[in-house]
Amino acid sequence: MKRYFRVLRLLLIALTIILLPACSRADNLTCNYLPGIMNDFLANHYAMRFLDETIAAHTVDQMIKRLDTTKTLFYEADVVKLRRDLIEMFGTIQEGKCTALTDVYSLLLKRAKENEQFVKEFLGAGYKLDESVEINTDIDKRPYPKTKAEKEDILRKFVHFQIANDLLADNSLAEAKKQLIHRYELQTKRLAERNPDKLIESFAEAFAVALDPHSAYMSPDSLEEFRIHMQLSLEGIGAMLSSENGFTIIEELVPGGGAERSGLIKPKDRIIAVAQEKEKPVNVIDMDLKEVIKMIRGKKGTRVTLTILRRGAKTDRFTVTIVRDKINLKEQEAKITYENRKVGKQKYLFGIIRLPSFYGEQKEGKSAYRDVKALLEEAKAKKVDGIVLDLSRNGGGLLNDAVRITGLFIDRGGVVATKNAEGRINILANGISSRETGNGMLKITGYPRENRAAVYTGPLVVLTSRLSASASEIVAGALKDYRRAVIVGADHTFGKGSVQRVEQLPRGLGGMRVTTDMFFLPGGTSTQKAGVAADVVLPGLFSNEDIGEQTLDYALPTQAIPPFVYTPANASVPYPPWRPVDPALVSYLAAKSKARVEKSKAFAEIVKTNQEIAAKKGIVRIADLRDETKKENLAKTDWSELRKKSKEREIPFDEEGVNILLDMIAMNPAATAAVSPSGDPTK
């Protein structure tokens, strides 16, 4: 087997030029093109540079996972055979032979026909819904069935679950049975209409994901979807979706989108049915993600109703009707609110800045950096005693804005570094001149230094959660490494510390998103997998969810480079111009916060809910679906009221952030006074 990989490495390099010349016309993806595409990924990837047995094994596992997302098609013996045949295909692929896919196709079609026949017989005249059935949505932890009896037991549970879903959508039992049988017939028909060549695309997708969770092969259609999303002109619900274990998962809510504005939907919710306006819901469990996306998308102003399944303390099933619209960029803008506090006779004023993303528009000159700068100027004019910077729902955005926003709090210094596969390091810094050293192996990209009057130097708390990702992790991590702020929130942030580049493939074969670099914080560590740890940990709304880089398949390991925290020499005034956050202060603040949280009814409810979710371990009870079903029609509901309720969930975290600022002031009352330098502290 090792010989296969050695031979293929050589042929991959040669075949890239031969098979993938630049051409505007679109070719069908055939086996002949796979070596070139695989080589393009390996040649550009940050860590995976050579095809080896591990990558091959991961590719095969991902391929099988894509073919049978719910583990209701294949037997354990089928999987053993598929793994052997697909591994051996790596030995013939350089000759343009993917004959193993013919056998895969035949087995896939055979098992689909068997399932269709079973469902038709099971849903016969004597069928009755069994509401006592429980189904485990955490399919990764369930093995493939060994016997026919085991497989049919799993299928029965899925059928009951799907029928219950249709009945709760006000369909009659006869309608529900008819629709579900049609779904299985359609699944078989679609497989029959495909041929083994169509599985080549699945193989390319599996290979990309085998490198790391953020690399991806994109078909021509998927590439177009990506372009539309990046332009933020997609007319839909404003959510990033994925497919997992047969369910369509809400991965991320786009600020300003209908899903986010509803106040009802949250990450990791499962979409189990979709209904067009004035039509009945269509069950989308185990439906191809592309088909689900097509159903959700539509013209601006039209309505789509989603049936949501949420795993909570109780299984929650509810409907949400959303008006399709373009992303409202106003909803992405940074905003500030103020909170007054009184301790004894002393009055305090605090600002809470919410930043949902690092946005920017070249045409109108809007940017997160400019908006945050203006808000800080406003807060300073009001003489606030402290700032809470809320990044708890910030999934990232423009890196340049993240760097410059950090400069508004630290004045000057390196914020983040990127390192590529060749080891070249690029440090992005505020107020430091751009230059290259070490034969081009170290580059500093300088951004303009802020006017000292624009830099906020008072007490600072940064709120984070497991949803805080990418650029928000860079800001939080840099402020922590400079000992500039106290990080408050979930145990850790998301942990995405990698950089991706998207390129179009020749011959119209689609595109590739490939991981090319890794981010590093000023302290030299990467946010990859570990994220940014909180100084003061609060019970999180998403603590029990599978949210975070470390939960993803084949996540790259964290790394380190030499630190690049900026410390000026020969400063004419004390530097830094803020009170550094030291271990003693963190311990004091954490102890005070813990005592408050233990007495808080709001946080006690969050802890209780998290414990109940953990106890369920992904089990969904059909009886719970009926008992807990809620119906919300947003077309008839006051959106402002729903958003108000959604914001209320953030209140305990905002209040605790302000409490921690008060503790910081109590520890050192002089900390609120910004340093008024008589000169440049860096000279």
Side-chain angles (χ1 to χ4, degrees), residues 46 417-419 497-499 516-520 526 528 556-557 559:
Y46 174 78
T418 61
K419 187 179 78 168
S498 58
V499 186
T516 58
D517 300 77
M518 189 170 283
F519 285 127
F520 293 87
S526 174
Q528 177 62 20
L556 298 177
Q559 293 184 345

Side-chain angles (χ1 to χ4, degrees), residues 4 19 97 139 191 204 294 297 319 370 394 420 444 510 535 560 589 609 613 621 670 673:
Y4 289 152
L19 296 176
K97 295 180 181 179
I139 294 170
L191 283 173
K294 287 179 181 178
R297 179 184 294 172
T319 60
R370 291 189 184 93
N394 190 314
N420 65 14
I444 296 177
D535 297 313
L589 297 176
T609 299
I613 292 173
R621 297 175 177 85

Side-chain angles (χ1 to χ4, degrees), residues 27-87:
D27 284 358
N28 292 325
L29 180 61
T30 62
C31 189
N32 290 331
Y33 290 124
L34 279 180
I37 291 174
M38 292 161 64
N39 183 67
D40 279 351
F41 274 102
L42 295 172
N44 289 278
H45 198 273
Y46 174 78
M48 306 302 179
R49 310 290 283 181
F50 302 102
L51 180 63
D52 58 20
E53 292 181 353
T54 299
I55 293 175
H58 288 171
T59 300
V60 171
D61 287 343
Q62 288 298 313
M63 177 79 171
I64 295 171
K65 192 174 183 179
R66 277 168 162 70
L67 296 176
D68 185 9
T69 58
T70 57
K71 293 184 179 177
T72 57
L73 279 173
F74 297 140
Y75 291 100
E76 184 180 83
D78 292 336
V79 173
V80 171
K81 183 179 186 302
L82 287 173
R83 284 200 177 105
R84 182 179 65 247
D85 293 348
L86 289 171
I87 283 289

Side-chain angles (χ1 to χ4, degrees), residues 72-73 75 109-127 145 147-163 177 180-182 184-185 187-188:
T72 57
L73 279 173
Y75 291 100
L109 184 58
K110 179 182 179 181
R111 296 295 181 239
K113 289 179 178 178
E114 291 173 354
N115 283 11
E116 178 191 330
Q117 184 60 36
F118 171 81
V119 170
K120 287 180 176 178
E121 293 175 358
F122 183 59
L123 291 176
Y127 172 78
T147 65
K148 183 179 179 181
E150 287 182 9
K151 181 179 175 181
E152 290 182 349
D153 182 59
I154 295 169
L155 271 173
R156 285 190 192 94
K157 291 179 179 179
F158 263 86
V159 168
H160 284 310
F161 180 61
Q162 291 173 309
I163 289 291
K177 288 165 60 176
L180 189 55
I181 289 172
H182 178 67
Y184 278 86
E185 289 175 339
Q187 182 183 54
T188 305

Side-chain angles (χ1 to χ4, degrees), residues 3 104-105 238 338 440 448 579:
R3 183 180 65 85
V104 173
Y105 168 77
Y338 296 94
R579 184 193 177 194

Side-chain angles (χ1 to χ4, degrees), residues 172-190:
S172 66
L173 179 58
E175 287 176 315
K177 288 165 60 176
K178 181 180 178 181
Q179 287 181 10
L180 189 55
I181 289 172
H182 178 67
R183 279 284 309 281
Y184 278 86
E185 289 175 339
L186 188 59
Q187 182 183 54
T188 305
K189 181 182 177 183
R190 285 175 176 169

